[in-house]
Protein backbone atom coordinates (compact mmCIF):
# COMPACT_ATOMS: atom_id res chain seq x y z
CA UNK A 1 0.00 0.00 0.00
CA UNK A 2 1.67 3.27 -1.09
CA UNK A 3 2.08 5.91 1.58
CA UNK A 4 0.54 9.38 1.33
CA UNK A 5 3.99 10.85 0.76
CA UNK A 6 4.62 8.37 -2.04
CA UNK A 7 1.30 9.22 -3.72
CA UNK A 8 2.06 12.93 -3.46
CA UNK A 9 5.54 12.41 -4.92
CA UNK A 10 4.33 10.16 -7.75
CA UNK A 11 1.24 12.18 -8.69
CA UNK A 12 1.08 15.69 -7.31
CA UNK A 13 4.64 16.98 -6.89
CA UNK A 14 4.29 19.43 -9.81
CA UNK A 15 0.58 19.40 -10.81
CA UNK A 16 0.52 22.60 -12.89
CA UNK A 17 3.52 21.66 -15.01
CA UNK A 18 2.26 18.08 -15.36
CA UNK A 19 -1.17 19.16 -16.60
CA UNK A 20 0.27 21.54 -19.20
CA UNK A 21 2.87 19.02 -20.34
CA UNK A 22 0.22 16.31 -20.66
CA UNK A 23 -1.90 18.60 -22.85
CA UNK A 24 1.06 19.23 -25.18
CA UNK A 25 1.73 15.51 -25.43
CA UNK A 26 -1.93 14.77 -26.20
CA UNK A 27 -1.84 17.17 -29.15
CA UNK A 28 1.34 15.63 -30.48
CA UNK A 29 -0.05 12.11 -30.04
CA UNK A 30 -2.89 12.63 -32.53
CA UNK A 31 -0.94 12.80 -35.81
CA UNK A 32 1.48 10.10 -34.68
CA UNK A 33 -1.29 7.67 -33.69
CA UNK A 34 -3.03 8.28 -37.01
CA UNK A 35 0.24 7.83 -38.88
CA UNK A 36 1.00 4.55 -37.12
CA UNK A 37 -2.52 3.33 -37.90
CA UNK A 38 -1.90 4.06 -41.56
CA UNK A 39 1.40 2.14 -41.39
CA UNK A 40 -0.36 -0.87 -39.84
CA UNK A 41 -3.21 -0.71 -42.36
CA UNK A 42 -5.99 -0.14 -39.82
CA UNK A 43 -8.58 2.56 -39.17
CA UNK A 44 -7.16 5.67 -37.35
CA UNK A 45 -9.46 4.86 -34.43
CA UNK A 46 -7.36 1.76 -33.66
CA UNK A 47 -4.21 3.82 -33.05
CA UNK A 48 -6.00 6.67 -31.28
CA UNK A 49 -7.93 4.36 -28.93
CA UNK A 50 -4.69 2.49 -28.21
CA UNK A 51 -2.88 5.72 -27.36
CA UNK A 52 -5.65 6.77 -24.98
CA UNK A 53 -5.94 3.36 -23.32
CA UNK A 54 -2.21 2.64 -22.94
CA UNK A 55 -1.40 6.14 -21.65
CA UNK A 56 -4.15 6.05 -19.01
CA UNK A 57 -3.46 2.50 -17.78
CA UNK A 58 0.32 2.87 -17.71
CA UNK A 59 -0.07 6.02 -15.60
CA UNK A 60 -1.24 3.74 -12.79
CA UNK A 61 0.65 0.52 -13.51
CA UNK A 62 3.97 1.68 -15.01
CA UNK A 63 7.32 1.92 -13.27
CA UNK A 64 8.58 5.14 -14.86
CA UNK A 65 6.63 8.29 -13.92
CA UNK A 66 6.41 10.91 -16.71
CA UNK A 67 7.17 8.37 -19.44
CA UNK A 68 4.58 8.37 -22.23
CA UNK A 69 3.35 5.11 -23.75
CA UNK A 70 0.99 4.81 -26.71
CA UNK A 71 0.67 3.29 -30.16
CA UNK A 72 4.13 3.20 -31.76
CA UNK A 73 5.77 2.72 -35.15
CA UNK A 74 7.93 -0.18 -33.95
CA UNK A 75 4.82 -2.26 -33.16
CA UNK A 76 2.91 -1.01 -36.20
CA UNK A 77 5.61 -2.32 -38.53
CA UNK A 78 5.40 -5.80 -36.96
CA UNK A 79 1.63 -6.22 -37.37
CA UNK A 80 1.31 -5.30 -41.04
CA UNK A 81 1.21 -8.93 -42.31
CA UNK A 82 -1.19 -10.02 -39.55
CA UNK A 83 -3.71 -7.30 -40.43
CA UNK A 84 -3.29 -7.87 -44.15
CA UNK A 85 -3.75 -11.65 -43.99
CA UNK A 86 -6.27 -12.09 -41.18
CA UNK A 87 -7.94 -8.75 -40.38
CA UNK A 88 -8.04 -6.30 -37.54
CA UNK A 89 -9.89 -8.61 -35.09
CA UNK A 90 -6.83 -10.88 -35.03
CA UNK A 91 -4.76 -7.79 -34.22
CA UNK A 92 -6.90 -7.19 -31.12
CA UNK A 93 -6.43 -10.82 -30.05
CA UNK A 94 -2.68 -10.59 -30.68
CA UNK A 95 -2.51 -7.41 -28.58
CA UNK A 96 -4.18 -9.21 -25.65
CA UNK A 97 -1.70 -12.10 -25.92
CA UNK A 98 1.15 -9.59 -26.25
CA UNK A 99 0.13 -8.17 -22.88
CA UNK A 100 0.18 -11.64 -21.32
CA UNK A 101 3.70 -12.27 -22.67
CA UNK A 102 4.88 -8.95 -21.29
CA UNK A 103 3.37 -9.67 -17.88
CA UNK A 104 5.24 -12.99 -17.78
CA UNK A 105 8.47 -11.22 -18.82
CA UNK A 106 8.01 -8.82 -15.92
CA UNK A 107 7.49 -11.68 -13.46
CA UNK A 108 10.64 -13.40 -14.80
CA UNK A 109 12.60 -10.14 -14.26
CA UNK A 110 13.79 -10.00 -17.87
CA UNK A 111 14.39 -6.31 -17.24
CA UNK A 112 17.71 -7.38 -15.73
CA UNK A 113 18.91 -8.05 -19.30
CA UNK A 114 19.20 -4.27 -19.63
CA UNK A 115 22.42 -4.55 -17.63
CA UNK A 116 24.03 -5.97 -20.76
CA UNK A 117 23.15 -2.98 -22.93
CA UNK A 118 26.15 -0.65 -23.00
CA UNK A 119 26.06 3.14 -22.98
CA UNK A 120 27.29 3.16 -26.58
CA UNK A 121 24.27 1.10 -27.67
CA UNK A 122 21.87 3.42 -25.83
CA UNK A 123 23.50 6.47 -27.44
CA UNK A 124 23.24 4.82 -30.87
CA UNK A 125 19.61 3.94 -30.20
CA UNK A 126 18.81 7.53 -29.18
CA UNK A 127 20.57 9.03 -32.19
CA UNK A 128 18.86 6.62 -34.58
CA UNK A 129 15.49 7.39 -33.07
CA UNK A 130 16.13 11.13 -33.41
CA UNK A 131 16.96 10.66 -37.08
CA UNK A 132 13.86 8.50 -37.60
CA UNK A 133 11.65 11.12 -35.92
CA UNK A 134 13.05 13.76 -38.27
CA UNK A 135 12.69 11.56 -41.36
CA UNK A 136 9.09 10.79 -40.37
CA UNK A 137 8.29 14.48 -40.89
CA UNK A 138 9.47 14.43 -44.52
CA UNK A 139 6.04 13.55 -46.02
CA UNK A 140 4.70 16.78 -44.51
CA UNK A 141 7.58 18.79 -45.96
CA UNK A 142 7.63 17.48 -49.53
CA UNK A 143 5.54 18.76 -52.43
CA UNK A 144 4.00 21.47 -50.26
CA UNK A 145 3.67 25.22 -50.64
CA UNK A 146 6.21 27.67 -49.27
CA UNK A 147 3.77 28.76 -46.57
CA UNK A 148 4.19 25.34 -44.97
CA UNK A 149 7.91 26.02 -44.48
CA UNK A 150 7.12 29.47 -43.09
CA UNK A 151 4.74 27.96 -40.52
CA UNK A 152 7.31 25.35 -39.52
CA UNK A 153 9.95 28.07 -39.14
CA UNK A 154 7.54 30.22 -37.13
CA UNK A 155 6.73 27.23 -34.93
CA UNK A 156 10.40 26.56 -34.24
CA UNK A 157 10.96 30.27 -33.49
CA UNK A 158 8.14 30.24 -30.93
CA UNK A 159 9.32 26.96 -29.38
CA UNK A 160 12.88 28.15 -28.88
CA UNK A 161 12.31 31.88 -28.18
CA UNK A 162 9.14 31.88 -26.06
CA UNK A 163 10.95 30.43 -23.00
CA UNK A 164 13.00 33.67 -22.88
CA UNK A 165 9.72 35.50 -22.10
CA UNK A 166 8.28 32.97 -19.66
CA UNK A 167 8.45 29.26 -18.87
CA UNK A 168 5.05 29.24 -17.18
CA UNK A 169 3.46 27.67 -20.29
CA UNK A 170 5.20 25.03 -22.44
CA UNK A 171 6.38 26.71 -25.62
CA UNK A 172 5.26 23.83 -27.90
CA UNK A 173 1.69 24.32 -26.64
CA UNK A 174 1.96 28.05 -27.34
CA UNK A 175 3.24 27.33 -30.85
CA UNK A 176 0.34 24.98 -31.63
CA UNK A 177 -2.31 27.40 -30.32
CA UNK A 178 -0.85 30.48 -32.03
CA UNK A 179 -0.31 28.80 -35.39
CA UNK A 180 -3.74 27.14 -35.33
CA UNK A 181 -5.34 30.52 -34.65
CA UNK A 182 -3.37 32.19 -37.42
CA UNK A 183 -4.15 29.55 -40.03
CA UNK A 184 -7.87 29.39 -39.18
CA UNK A 185 -8.50 33.13 -39.09
CA UNK A 186 -6.01 33.86 -41.85
CA UNK A 187 -7.59 31.31 -44.17
CA UNK A 188 -4.17 29.75 -44.83
CA UNK A 189 -4.38 26.56 -46.86
CA UNK A 190 -2.05 23.91 -45.35
CA UNK A 191 -2.42 20.26 -44.36
CA UNK A 192 -4.34 19.79 -41.13
CA UNK A 193 -4.83 16.94 -38.65
CA UNK A 194 -8.20 16.29 -40.28
CA UNK A 195 -6.41 15.53 -43.56
CA UNK A 196 -4.57 12.63 -41.90
CA UNK A 197 -7.76 10.60 -41.43
CA UNK A 198 -11.17 10.59 -39.85
CA UNK A 199 -11.09 11.22 -36.12
CA UNK A 200 -13.27 9.04 -33.83
CA UNK A 201 -16.27 10.75 -32.24
CA UNK A 202 -17.24 8.16 -29.64
CA UNK A 203 -15.73 6.47 -26.60
CA UNK A 204 -14.02 3.09 -26.99
CA UNK A 205 -15.99 0.19 -25.55
CA UNK A 206 -15.03 -3.18 -24.05
CA UNK A 207 -15.54 -6.16 -26.41
CA UNK A 208 -14.09 -9.57 -27.09
CA UNK A 209 -12.16 -9.91 -30.37
CA UNK A 210 -14.33 -11.54 -33.02
CA UNK A 211 -12.01 -14.50 -33.68
CA UNK A 212 -12.44 -18.25 -33.19
CA UNK A 213 -11.11 -19.23 -29.77
CA UNK A 214 -9.16 -22.33 -30.83
CA UNK A 215 -5.62 -23.61 -31.30
CA UNK A 216 -5.44 -22.44 -34.92
CA UNK A 217 -6.04 -18.84 -33.88
CA UNK A 218 -3.33 -19.18 -31.22
CA UNK A 219 -0.90 -20.51 -33.82
CA UNK A 220 -1.61 -17.48 -36.01
CA UNK A 221 -1.31 -14.76 -33.39
CA UNK A 222 1.35 -16.19 -31.03
CA UNK A 223 4.41 -15.44 -33.23
CA UNK A 224 3.19 -11.89 -33.82
CA UNK A 225 2.39 -11.39 -30.13
CA UNK A 226 5.82 -12.61 -29.10
CA UNK A 227 7.57 -10.28 -31.54
CA UNK A 228 5.34 -7.34 -30.56
CA UNK A 229 6.05 -8.00 -26.88
CA UNK A 230 9.82 -8.24 -27.39
CA UNK A 231 10.11 -5.12 -29.57
CA UNK A 232 7.82 -3.10 -27.30
CA UNK A 233 9.62 -4.10 -24.11
CA UNK A 234 13.01 -3.35 -25.61
CA UNK A 235 11.91 0.12 -26.68
CA UNK A 236 10.20 0.72 -23.34
CA UNK A 237 13.25 -0.30 -21.29
CA UNK A 238 15.57 1.89 -23.34
CA UNK A 239 13.14 4.80 -23.17
CA UNK A 240 12.87 4.37 -19.39
CA UNK A 241 16.67 4.51 -19.17
CA UNK A 242 16.72 7.70 -21.22
CA UNK A 243 14.02 9.35 -19.07
CA UNK A 244 16.00 8.25 -15.99
CA UNK A 245 18.97 10.14 -17.38
CA UNK A 246 16.91 13.21 -18.33
CA UNK A 247 15.29 13.49 -14.89
CA UNK A 248 18.17 12.09 -12.83
CA UNK A 249 15.77 9.69 -11.14
CA UNK A 250 15.47 5.90 -11.13
CA UNK A 251 12.67 3.79 -12.58
CA UNK A 252 11.27 0.41 -11.56
CA UNK A 253 11.79 -1.51 -14.79
CA UNK A 254 10.24 -4.78 -13.56
CA UNK A 255 7.07 -2.87 -12.71
CA UNK A 256 7.24 -1.10 -16.06
CA UNK A 257 7.30 -4.47 -17.84
CA UNK A 258 4.28 -5.70 -15.92
CA UNK A 259 2.56 -2.36 -16.45
CA UNK A 260 3.13 -2.52 -20.20
CA UNK A 261 1.61 -5.99 -20.16
CA UNK A 262 -1.49 -4.86 -18.28
CA UNK A 263 -1.93 -1.83 -20.56
CA UNK A 264 -1.69 -3.85 -23.78
CA UNK A 265 -3.88 -6.65 -22.39
CA UNK A 266 -6.82 -4.30 -21.75
CA UNK A 267 -6.14 -2.22 -24.87
CA UNK A 268 -6.84 -5.28 -27.01
CA UNK A 269 -10.32 -5.49 -25.49
CA UNK A 270 -10.88 -1.76 -26.21
CA UNK A 271 -10.21 -2.10 -29.93
CA UNK A 272 -6.66 -0.77 -29.87
CA UNK A 273 -3.35 -1.93 -31.34
CA UNK A 274 -0.33 -2.81 -29.22
CA UNK A 275 2.02 -0.08 -28.11
CA UNK A 276 4.86 0.82 -25.80
CA UNK A 277 6.87 3.73 -24.46
CA UNK A 278 7.57 6.55 -26.93
CA UNK A 279 10.86 8.34 -26.58
CA UNK A 280 9.76 11.34 -28.64
CA UNK A 281 6.59 11.95 -26.66
CA UNK A 282 8.41 11.23 -23.40
CA UNK A 283 11.02 13.85 -24.29
CA UNK A 284 8.23 16.35 -25.08
CA UNK A 285 6.64 15.59 -21.73
CA UNK A 286 9.85 15.95 -19.74
CA UNK A 287 11.02 19.07 -21.59
CA UNK A 288 7.57 20.60 -21.05
CA UNK A 289 7.87 20.08 -17.30
CA UNK A 290 6.15 16.70 -16.84
CA UNK A 291 7.65 14.78 -13.94
CA UNK A 292 4.92 12.62 -12.40
CA UNK A 293 2.26 10.05 -13.32
CA UNK A 294 -0.26 12.89 -13.54
CA UNK A 295 1.29 14.11 -16.80
CA UNK A 296 0.92 10.65 -18.35
CA UNK A 297 -2.70 10.38 -17.19
CA UNK A 298 -3.53 13.87 -18.48
CA UNK A 299 -2.00 12.99 -21.86
CA UNK A 300 -4.37 10.03 -22.24
CA UNK A 301 -7.47 11.72 -20.84
CA UNK A 302 -6.94 14.97 -22.75
CA UNK A 303 -6.37 13.00 -25.93
CA UNK A 304 -9.81 11.40 -25.58
CA UNK A 305 -11.32 14.78 -24.67
CA UNK A 306 -9.85 16.30 -27.82
CA UNK A 307 -11.17 13.48 -29.98
CA UNK A 308 -14.68 13.31 -28.57
CA UNK A 309 -15.44 16.89 -27.50
CA UNK A 310 -13.14 19.15 -29.54
CA UNK A 311 -13.12 16.98 -32.62
CA UNK A 312 -13.89 19.78 -35.18
CA UNK A 313 -11.26 22.12 -33.70
CA UNK A 314 -8.57 19.44 -33.46
CA UNK A 315 -9.13 18.56 -37.11
CA UNK A 316 -8.09 22.13 -38.04
CA UNK A 317 -4.70 22.05 -36.27
CA UNK A 318 -2.12 22.72 -39.01
CA UNK A 319 0.26 19.83 -39.49
CA UNK A 320 3.26 22.20 -39.91
CA UNK A 321 2.83 23.26 -36.27
CA UNK A 322 3.09 19.64 -35.13
CA UNK A 323 6.02 19.09 -37.51
CA UNK A 324 7.80 21.96 -35.76
CA UNK A 325 7.21 20.25 -32.41
CA UNK A 326 8.57 16.94 -33.69
CA UNK A 327 11.64 18.63 -35.21
CA UNK A 328 12.27 20.16 -31.78
CA UNK A 329 11.97 16.68 -30.31
CA UNK A 330 14.37 15.28 -32.89
CA UNK A 331 16.95 17.98 -32.18
CA UNK A 332 16.54 17.56 -28.42
CA UNK A 333 16.76 13.78 -28.58
CA UNK A 334 19.94 13.54 -30.65
CA UNK A 335 23.11 13.29 -28.57
CA UNK A 336 25.15 15.99 -30.31
CA UNK A 337 27.97 15.47 -27.86
CA UNK A 338 28.40 11.94 -29.18
CA UNK A 339 29.68 13.33 -32.52
CA UNK A 340 32.59 15.08 -30.80
CA UNK A 341 33.23 11.99 -28.68
CA UNK A 342 33.72 9.78 -31.75
CA UNK A 343 37.44 10.64 -31.65
CA UNK A 344 37.95 10.81 -27.90
CA UNK A 345 36.08 7.61 -26.98
CA UNK A 346 37.67 4.17 -27.49
CA UNK A 347 37.27 3.22 -31.13
CA UNK A 348 35.29 0.13 -30.13
CA UNK A 349 32.66 2.28 -28.41
CA UNK A 350 32.40 4.55 -31.45
CA UNK A 351 31.94 1.58 -33.79
CA UNK A 352 29.18 0.17 -31.56
CA UNK A 353 27.37 3.51 -31.50
CA UNK A 354 27.64 4.10 -35.25
CA UNK A 355 26.72 0.50 -36.10
CA UNK A 356 23.60 0.71 -33.94
CA UNK A 357 22.54 3.90 -35.75
CA UNK A 358 23.19 2.45 -39.21
CA UNK A 359 21.38 -0.83 -38.56
CA UNK A 360 18.33 0.90 -37.09
CA UNK A 361 18.06 3.36 -39.98
CA UNK A 362 18.80 0.72 -42.62
CA UNK A 363 16.41 -1.92 -41.27
CA UNK A 364 13.83 0.49 -39.81
CA UNK A 365 13.93 -1.88 -36.85
CA UNK A 366 14.99 -0.59 -33.43
CA UNK A 367 15.38 -4.10 -32.01
CA UNK A 368 17.76 -5.18 -34.80
CA UNK A 369 20.03 -2.22 -34.16
CA UNK A 370 20.15 -2.86 -30.44
CA UNK A 371 20.86 -6.58 -30.91
CA UNK A 372 23.76 -5.82 -33.28
CA UNK A 373 25.09 -3.22 -30.83
CA UNK A 374 24.92 -5.63 -27.90
CA UNK A 375 26.66 -8.39 -29.88
CA UNK A 376 29.44 -6.00 -30.98
CA UNK A 377 29.85 -4.75 -27.41
CA UNK A 378 30.22 -8.34 -26.20
CA UNK A 379 32.80 -9.19 -28.86
CA UNK A 380 34.86 -6.06 -28.20
CA UNK A 381 34.73 -6.70 -24.45
CA UNK A 382 35.86 -10.30 -24.90
CA UNK A 383 38.73 -9.12 -27.10
CA UNK A 384 39.79 -6.53 -24.55
CA UNK A 385 39.78 -9.05 -21.68
CA UNK A 386 41.65 -11.52 -23.87
CA UNK A 387 44.52 -9.06 -24.27
CA UNK A 388 44.93 -8.88 -20.48
CA UNK A 389 45.96 -12.54 -20.48
CA UNK A 390 49.73 -12.98 -19.92
CA UNK A 391 52.11 -15.86 -19.26
CA UNK A 392 55.63 -15.76 -17.77
CA UNK A 393 57.94 -18.72 -17.23
CA UNK A 394 61.09 -19.61 -15.27
CA UNK A 395 63.38 -22.64 -15.31
CA UNK A 396 64.85 -24.21 -12.18
CA UNK A 397 68.64 -24.15 -11.66
CA UNK A 398 68.94 -27.87 -12.47
CA UNK A 399 66.98 -27.37 -15.72
CA UNK A 400 64.44 -30.07 -14.88
CA UNK A 401 61.48 -28.00 -13.70
CA UNK A 402 59.70 -25.14 -15.48
CA UNK A 403 57.12 -22.91 -13.80
CA UNK A 404 54.41 -21.24 -15.90
CA UNK A 405 52.76 -18.25 -14.18
CA UNK A 406 49.37 -17.48 -15.74
CA UNK A 407 47.78 -14.06 -15.22
CA UNK A 408 44.34 -12.92 -16.43
CA UNK A 409 41.03 -14.40 -17.45
CA UNK A 410 40.92 -17.88 -18.98
CA UNK A 411 37.81 -18.32 -21.15
CA UNK A 412 36.83 -19.06 -24.73
CA UNK A 413 38.55 -15.97 -26.18
CA UNK A 414 41.89 -16.55 -24.40
CA UNK A 415 41.93 -20.37 -24.52
CA UNK A 416 44.08 -20.51 -27.67
CA UNK A 417 46.69 -18.19 -26.14
CA UNK A 418 46.63 -20.37 -23.02
CA UNK A 419 47.59 -23.52 -24.94
CA UNK A 420 50.11 -21.72 -27.16
CA UNK A 421 51.96 -20.47 -24.04
CA UNK A 422 53.30 -23.96 -23.25
CA UNK A 423 56.33 -25.58 -24.92
CA UNK A 424 55.43 -29.29 -25.01
CA UNK A 425 58.65 -30.23 -26.86
CA UNK A 426 60.93 -29.09 -24.06
CA UNK A 427 62.41 -32.04 -22.16
CA UNK A 428 61.43 -31.66 -18.51
CA UNK A 429 60.75 -33.80 -15.48
CA UNK A 430 58.31 -31.47 -13.84
CA UNK A 431 55.99 -28.56 -14.82
CA UNK A 432 54.30 -26.22 -12.34
CA UNK A 433 51.28 -24.23 -13.59
CA UNK A 434 50.83 -21.30 -11.19
CA UNK A 435 47.25 -19.96 -11.46
CA UNK A 436 47.28 -17.68 -8.42
CA UNK A 437 46.66 -14.63 -10.68
CA UNK A 438 44.27 -16.34 -13.11
CA UNK A 439 40.56 -17.10 -13.14
CA UNK A 440 38.70 -19.78 -15.12
CA UNK A 441 35.30 -18.64 -16.44
CA UNK A 442 33.91 -21.38 -18.68
CA UNK A 443 34.28 -24.98 -19.82
CA UNK A 444 36.34 -23.87 -22.83
CA UNK A 445 39.01 -22.59 -20.44
CA UNK A 446 38.79 -25.81 -18.41
CA UNK A 447 39.14 -27.83 -21.61
CA UNK A 448 42.36 -26.02 -22.56
CA UNK A 449 43.82 -26.76 -19.11
CA UNK A 450 42.94 -30.44 -19.62
CA UNK A 451 44.61 -30.39 -23.00
CA UNK A 452 47.83 -28.83 -21.63
CA UNK A 453 48.11 -31.19 -18.65
CA UNK A 454 47.43 -34.31 -20.69
CA UNK A 455 49.94 -33.33 -23.39
CA UNK A 456 52.67 -32.81 -20.76
CA UNK A 457 51.89 -36.14 -19.11
CA UNK A 458 51.93 -37.81 -22.51
CA UNK A 459 55.58 -36.65 -22.80
CA UNK A 460 56.37 -38.16 -19.40
CA UNK A 461 56.32 -34.86 -17.52
CA UNK A 462 54.61 -34.57 -14.13
CA UNK A 463 52.32 -31.54 -13.74
CA UNK A 464 51.30 -29.65 -10.60
CA UNK A 465 48.55 -27.02 -10.65
CA UNK A 466 48.89 -24.49 -7.84
CA UNK A 467 47.27 -21.25 -6.67
CA UNK A 468 43.69 -21.85 -7.84
CA UNK A 469 41.14 -19.48 -6.36
CA UNK A 470 38.00 -20.96 -4.84
CA UNK A 471 35.67 -20.42 -7.80
CA UNK A 472 38.14 -21.71 -10.38
CA UNK A 473 38.91 -24.75 -8.20
CA UNK A 474 35.20 -25.50 -7.95
CA UNK A 475 34.80 -25.38 -11.74
CA UNK A 476 37.87 -27.56 -12.31
CA UNK A 477 36.67 -30.13 -9.75
CA UNK A 478 33.35 -30.29 -11.54
CA UNK A 479 34.31 -30.19 -15.22
CA UNK A 480 38.02 -31.02 -15.66
CA UNK A 481 38.97 -34.52 -16.85
CA UNK A 482 42.80 -34.52 -16.70
CA UNK A 483 42.85 -36.40 -13.36
CA UNK A 484 40.29 -39.00 -14.41
CA UNK A 485 41.45 -42.52 -15.37
CA UNK A 486 40.04 -42.18 -18.89
CA UNK A 487 41.31 -38.64 -19.48
CA UNK A 488 42.77 -39.49 -22.89
CA UNK A 489 39.45 -40.86 -24.10
CA UNK A 490 37.62 -37.78 -22.83
CA UNK A 491 39.98 -35.52 -24.72
CA UNK A 492 39.99 -37.53 -27.92
CA UNK A 493 36.18 -37.74 -27.78
CA UNK A 494 36.05 -34.14 -28.92
Amino acid sequence: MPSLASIRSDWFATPRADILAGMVVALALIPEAIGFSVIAGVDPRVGLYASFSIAVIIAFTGGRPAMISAATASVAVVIIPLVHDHGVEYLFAATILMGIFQGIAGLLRLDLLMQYVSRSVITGFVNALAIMIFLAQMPQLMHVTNVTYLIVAAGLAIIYLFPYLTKAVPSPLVAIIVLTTVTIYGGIDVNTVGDMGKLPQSLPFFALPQVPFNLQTLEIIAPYSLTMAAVALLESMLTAQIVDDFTDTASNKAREMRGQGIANFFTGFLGGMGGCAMIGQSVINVKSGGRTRLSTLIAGVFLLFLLVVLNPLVAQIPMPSLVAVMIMVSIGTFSWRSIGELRSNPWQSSIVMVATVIIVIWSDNLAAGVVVGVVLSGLFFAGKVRRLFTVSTSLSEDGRTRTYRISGEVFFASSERFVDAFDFREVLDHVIIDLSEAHFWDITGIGTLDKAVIRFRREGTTVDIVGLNTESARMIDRFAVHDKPDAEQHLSGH
Side-chain angles (χ1 to χ4, degrees), residues 98-399:
M98 167 193 180
I100 294 173
F101 284 149
Q102 290 181 320
I104 294 172
L107 294 174
L108 294 176
R109 295 300 314 271
L110 295 188
D111 58 289
L112 297 177
L113 294 176
M114 278 298 295
Q115 300 175 32
Y116 301 100
V117 181
S118 69
R119 176 61 56 181
S120 299
V121 175
I122 293 177
T123 302
F125 173 85
V126 169
N127 288 347
L129 203 53
I131 295 170
M132 291 177 72
I133 291 172
F134 183 82
L135 294 177
Q137 312 312 311
M138 288 299 103
Q140 295 296 330
L141 297 173
M142 297 175 68
H143 310 298
V144 294
T145 59
N146 290 335
V147 72
T148 297
Y149 301 116
L150 289 175
I151 294 176
V152 172
L156 288 170
I158 294 173
I159 289 170
Y160 285 108
L161 297 179
F162 188 78
Y164 288 103
L165 297 177
T166 176
K167 294 183 179 179
V169 182
S171 59
L173 180 61
V174 175
I176 293 171
I177 292 174
V178 169
L179 295 176
T180 300
T181 303
V182 169
T183 53
I184 290 176
Y185 289 99
I188 300 174
D189 184 21
V190 292
N191 286 337
T192 64
V193 170
D195 296 328
M196 297 288 290
K198 186 179 179 182
L199 300 176
Q201 296 178 320
S202 60
L203 296 172
F205 56 88
F206 195 89
L208 288 174
Q210 299 301 304
V211 298
F213 289 90
N214 54 33
L215 186 59
Q216 185 180 8
T217 299
L218 183 62
E219 290 176 347
I220 292 171
I221 66 172
Y224 289 100
S225 299
L226 193 59
T227 306
M228 292 160 67
V231 170
L233 286 181
L234 181 60
E235 188 168 349
S236 296
M237 293 301 100
L238 289 174
T239 304
Q241 185 64 50
I242 291 163
V243 177
D244 288 355
D245 293 343
F246 266 123
T247 59
D248 199 23
T249 56
S251 58
N252 184 336
K253 294 186 176 60
R255 178 177 173 179
E256 182 62 33
M257 275 194 172
R258 296 193 298 272
Q260 291 284 337
I262 294 169
N264 281 303
F265 178 79
F266 285 106
T267 296
F269 288 109
L270 292 173
M273 58 192 282
C276 63
M278 307 176 72
I279 186 171
Q281 303 296 342
S282 298
V283 171
I284 291 177
N285 192 40
V286 171
K287 286 186 174 294
S288 299
R291 290 293 184 275
T292 73
R293 298 178 184 277
L294 182 62
S295 62
T296 310
L297 178 65
I298 291 296
V301 172
F302 193 62
L303 171 63
L304 191 64
F305 175 79
L306 290 171
L307 297 176
V308 176
V309 180
L310 300 181
N311 187 305
L313 182 59
V314 171
Q316 297 183 67
I317 293 176
M319 284 303 297
S321 68
L322 298 176
V323 169
V325 173
M326 297 312 295
I327 290 176
M328 178 272 290
V329 171
S330 174
I331 294 172
T333 301
F334 195 90
S335 175
W336 299 99
R337 191 174 60 180
S338 66
I339 296 177
E341 291 175 342
L342 284 174
R343 288 188 173 183
S344 58
N345 282 344
W347 63 268
Q348 297 93 337
S349 299
S350 298
I351 286 180
V352 169
M353 192 277 283
V354 172
T356 303
V357 172
I358 292 174
I359 295 298
V360 170
I361 301 299
W362 173 71
S363 66
D364 203 20
N365 186 328
L366 294 168
V370 172
V371 168
V372 169
V374 170
V375 170
L376 282 176
S377 297
L379 291 175
F380 284 136
F381 176 76
K384 187 178 294 183
V385 174
R386 173 181 175 273
R387 288 193 292 276
L388 298 177
F389 178 87
T390 60
V391 178
S392 60
T393 71
S394 61
L395 188 64
S396 64
E397 291 184 357
D398 60 5

